[in-house]
Amino acid sequence: DGGITQSPKYLFRKEGQNVTLSCEQNLNHDAMYWYRQDPGQGLRLIYYSQIVNDFQKGDIAEGYSVSREKKESFPLTVTSAQKNPTAFYLCASRDTTNIQYFGAGTRLSVL
Amino acid sequence: QQQVKQSPQSLIVQKGGISIINCAYENTAFDYFPWYQQFPGKGPALLIAIRPDVSEKKEGRFTISFNKSAKQFSLHIMDSQPGDSATYFCAASRGETSGSRLTFGEGTQLTVNP
């Protein structure tokens, strides 16, 4: 069953803690993306990667970090520097026709 | 600034009616305009997309109208059904040199009453 798998579905962060959101794809796509979604707002780009071992900052990268060591995986770390991390986080990958396919998301809350 | 403005924020339509959602963009370098549909607690899914070399694209009950000179595009849902109730996002991107980054509108919450 091909697609984007995000885990966990729900995540809670304590004060001063870093947390990592997982994103795995088996679509053989080179490009992957992380978005943040807040209520009543569109999706905002955090980081993206067009190829393994390379990634670029999006519009709201502060307080986040990523890695792209494997084509299939693009984990996002929400660091303690991100003061307002509560949001719905979406991972996507892009095919050669420019279509982005999204995972089911991770909802992050602060304890 | 690369922005995409979407309206209305929410829309209520009766079953069988036409739903119309509008978007306007600023950057003339945008060359790909998709619409995504999102159900609560799920990730968005591509609904329909258009490139600026055509003025209209239709897929079933869904039509995109594109006005390049006005820098506007819209989604029309004909014969709207309760199952169409979802949040709709327009988006735009400007090619692989920029990573094919999508800039999203703010979203429209559509409710179709039975």
Side-chain angles (χ1 to χ4, degrees):
Chain A
D1 191 19
I4 312 287
T5 301
Q6 290 188 242
S7 62
K9 189 170 183 177
Y10 300 96
L11 187 58
F12 298 90
R13 194 191 88 167
K14 295 180 181 178
E15 191 76 28
Q17 185 181 43
N18 293 351
V19 292
T20 297
L21 285 59
S22 171
C23 178
E24 302 281 330
Q25 56 104 353
N26 61 5
L27 300 170
N28 200 35
H29 293 164
D30 287 318
M32 297 186 73
Y33 305 80
W34 273 106
Y35 295 91
R36 170 179 171 142
Q37 185 174 24
D38 294 282
Q41 295 190 37
L43 283 68
R44 292 183 291 167
L45 183 65
I46 304 172
Y47 268 98
Y48 65 103
S49 169
Q50 298 191 76
I51 200 166
V52 174
N53 292 322
D54 186 46
F55 51 82
Q56 287 80 39
K57 292 181 179 180
D59 300 318
I60 55 166
E62 187 175 350
Y64 301 97
S65 66
V66 294
S67 63
R68 187 84 187 279
E69 297 176 1
K70 298 187 303 181
K71 187 176 187 177
E72 302 79 17
S73 179
F74 191 39
L76 173 73
T77 297
V78 184
T79 74
S80 57
Q82 173 49 248
K83 297 307 179 187
N84 184 24
T86 298
F88 190 47
Y89 290 87
L90 289 158
C91 177
S93 69
R94 176 175 58 83
D95 70 12
T96 55
T97 67
N98 216 19
I99 297 173
Q100 289 195 21
Y101 298 86
F102 285 83
T106 293
R107 191 165 299 279
L108 176 62
S109 302
V110 177
L111 288 177
Chain B
Q1 188 176 358
Q2 298 183 12
Q3 285 190 333
V4 177
K5 292 293 187 182
Q6 183 172 346
S7 63
Q9 190 173 9
S10 63
L11 181 62
I12 299 174
V13 174
Q14 291 299 118
K15 179 182 176 181
I18 302 173
S19 304
I20 301 174
I21 305 170
N22 300 299
C23 284
Y25 63 96
E26 298 175 356
N27 191 338
T28 55
F30 286 144
D31 61 1
Y32 175 69
F33 302 89
W35 285 88
Y36 280 82
Q37 179 188 55
Q38 184 180 31
F39 293 102
K42 305 293 184 183
L46 179 68
L47 190 63
I48 187 172
I50 197 168
R51 295 195 181 274
D53 52 343
V54 296
S55 60
E56 186 175 282
K57 183 174 182 180
K58 183 176 181 179
E59 290 183 1
R61 294 185 294 110
F62 301 93
T63 300
I64 299 179
S65 296
F66 185 81
N67 186 330
K68 189 173 182 178
S69 61
K71 293 188 286 185
Q72 295 175 346
F73 58 111
S74 61
L75 176 69
H76 296 235
I77 305 174
M78 311 299 288
D79 188 26
S80 299
Q81 300 297 311
D84 296 331
S85 298
T87 301
Y88 293 80
F89 293 96
C90 63
S93 73
R94 60 181 180 92
E96 295 211 20
T97 54
S98 66
S100 296
R101 303 169 44 155
L102 285 173
T103 299
F104 283 85
E106 299 90 342
T108 296
Q109 189 166 348
L110 172 65
T111 301
V112 181
N113 289 326

